[in-house]
Amino acid sequence: EFVTLGNENALKTDSFTDVDLGVRYTTSVGDQLLTLRASVQNVFEEGYFDVNSFSFLIPAYPRTFRASVGIEF
């Protein structure tokens, strides 16, 4: 992956594979719909540099766990 730092400068970073996993489970509780979600980002905690939307080179986020519960009423 190449990152442009200006007209004349470029930086080459190593390639990487990022693995994210997520699950969702939906059920009814009475008359309401309940949704449970869980995810893991960067499962193997791969160290790499990425480019954000402003073309800044940033280090990868560490392994991140997220969970949420939603209910419709």
Side-chain angles (χ1 to χ4, degrees):
E1 183 173 333
F2 285 93
V3 180
T4 302
L5 301 175
N7 293 337
E8 300 172 0
N9 299 319
L11 176 67
K12 185 177 186 320
T13 62
D14 294 332
S15 62
F16 61 89
T17 301
D18 186 21
V19 178
D20 302 331
L21 298 174
V23 295
R24 180 181 71 179
Y25 177 73
T26 304
T27 188
S28 295
V29 176
D31 293 337
Q32 282 99 16
L33 185 63
L34 179 71
T35 303
L36 306 171
R37 292 182 182 91
S39 67
V40 181
Q41 293 178 300
N42 198 1
V43 172
F44 300 115
E45 203 156 18
E46 183 74 25
Y48 61 90
F49 286 91
D50 201 1
V51 180
N52 68 11
S53 59
F54 299 105
S55 296
F56 292 131
L57 191 63
I58 57 173
Y61 288 107
R63 184 181 303 127
T64 305
F65 297 90
R66 291 193 173 119
S68 68
V69 177
I71 190 162
E72 293 182 26
F73 52 92

